[in-house]
Every structure is written in C-alpha cells, then in structure tokens.
Amino acid sequence: MALKQNIMNITTNGAAREQDSMYQCCSEMLQNAGLGRNFIKLAKGSSAPTQVYLNARPGYYGSKGAAIIESTLMCIVDLERTPMESFAPLTLSCFMRYFLVPFIGAHLISQNLECAVEVAFKEMLESADAGDALHPAEDSDEDLENIMKTNMDVRRHEHTAEIAEQRQVEAESKEALQEENSWKMVHCLVSH
C-alpha cells in the first residue's frame, strides 16, 4: 500500500518526484543519453534512444513483468483524476514506460534484495537481459492474460463503485434541494 501511495505521489507531485532517488537515477540516465534532465527531448522525439529503452526495462522481471506492471499501473493511476500536466511534457504512456515501470521494478528488486533503491536500480539494469530471456511476454501466455483480465476487472469494479457513489451523492443532493425548496414554499405561504 505504501508503494501505491508513493506512485500516486510521484505521478501527481512534481516536487516529490524531483526528490525521489529513483527519479534522479532516471534523470541521470536520460542526461547520459543526451536527452537532458527534464524529459522535453524525450517527449519531442519520435522514439527514445535504444539505451534509454533498454534501461527502462524492469530488470529480472523481464518483458512479462513490464506488461504486468503496466497493466497494474493502469488500475492505480486514476486517469480521470490525474492531471496530464502532472508529468508533462510526456504522455502517460511515455511516463509509464520510461519512469513508472523502472520505478516499480527497482522498488520491487529493492524489497527482494533488501537493499537501497539505488543499488536495486543498478541490479535492474544489469539483470534486464536475463529477465527478458527468462520472462518474455508472449501472446499465448495464459497467466499474463489472466493477470491483465483481473486488473481490468478490478478497475471496472472500482469504476462501477465510483459511479454508484456519485449517483448516490447526486440523489442525496437532489433530495436535499427539493426539501429546501419545500421549506421555502412553506415559509412564503406562512409569511403571506
């Protein structure tokens, strides 16, 4: 749960993102690739340099892990409530691919190895090729399909609950307004 809150914080709060050690690792990686430290060149380019793309893989979790992380992030990041300017100039897709996926990968590796996230980031970079070989994302992967379906079902359930809650609030507001109008009418009748 703490990681989920951290994801939302760095997604929506630029100042918190600037202080995050993983963001600093990603910024350094972009600077080393000649893209600067603020993502503008990455956002304007049609594609990232190969090294940036390779360094954004979630280490030994492989491409299958990246697909699971992206699918899960789509459940965590509320697209309706998250202002897109929070991670501008990048699109949400680029922000996820080049920052959030490696962010999650490094944090998971940090938990696995019980080490600092900066150490985990280095391990993530070093183990990415092995991860792609051991955990490829394949079209016929039933486990991957089930995970993605479950994530979609969770998001749909959350969205349905949010709609029901919103309708309840609207109904209560309408009822309160009708009651208030009724009292106003009674007051007008009594005062005349």
Side-chain angles (χ1 to χ4, degrees), residues 163-176:
I163 290 171
E165 183 179 324
Q166 183 178 10
R167 287 182 180 160
Q168 178 68 29
V169 167
E170 288 172 0
E172 289 171 1
S173 295
K174 185 176 180 180
E175 186 178 314

Side-chain angles (χ1 to χ4, degrees), residues 85-145:
E85 59 272 6
S86 295
F87 37 82
L90 298 179
T91 62
L92 178 59
S93 177
C94 281
F95 185 69
M96 278 191 187
R97 181 178 308 116
Y98 297 114
F99 182 69
L100 291 179
V101 169
F103 176 87
I104 299 294
H107 279 274
L108 292 174
I109 290 170
S110 173
Q111 289 175 3
N112 288 346
L113 302 180
E114 298 178 357
C115 64
V117 73
E118 298 83 2
V119 173
F121 181 74
K122 290 177 184 168
E123 175 62 29
M124 182 184 79
L125 296 177
E126 292 171 2
S127 66
D129 289 337
D132 283 346
L134 292 170
H135 305 291
E138 298 172 346
D139 290 336
S140 61
D141 190 329
E142 286 184 34
D143 290 336
L144 183 56
E145 287 179 29

Side-chain angles (χ1 to χ4, degrees), residues 3-13 76-78 82:
L3 186 54
K4 179 179 178 179
Q5 185 57 45
N6 199 4
I7 292 165
M8 288 309 300
N9 195 34
I10 62 164
T11 300
T12 59
N13 184 334
I76 294 172
V77 177
D78 186 341
T82 303

Side-chain angles (χ1 to χ4, degrees), residues 171-184:
E172 289 171 1
S173 295
K174 185 176 180 180
E175 186 178 314
L177 184 60
Q178 287 174 343
E179 187 175 320
E180 181 181 330
N181 287 339
S182 294
W183 281 109
K184 285 181 182 178

Side-chain angles (χ1 to χ4, degrees), residues 78 81 155 157-167:
D78 186 341
R81 293 189 183 128
R155 184 65 186 137
H157 176 73
E158 288 174 352
H159 188 65
T160 302
E162 288 172 2
I163 290 171
E165 183 179 324
Q166 183 178 10
R167 287 182 180 160

Side-chain angles (χ1 to χ4, degrees), residues 28-47:
E28 185 176 322
M29 176 185 66
L30 292 172
Q31 188 175 23
N32 291 342
L35 294 174
R37 294 184 65 85
N38 59 8
F39 294 132
I40 290 174
K41 289 181 183 176
L42 181 60
K44 288 183 179 180
S46 58
S47 65

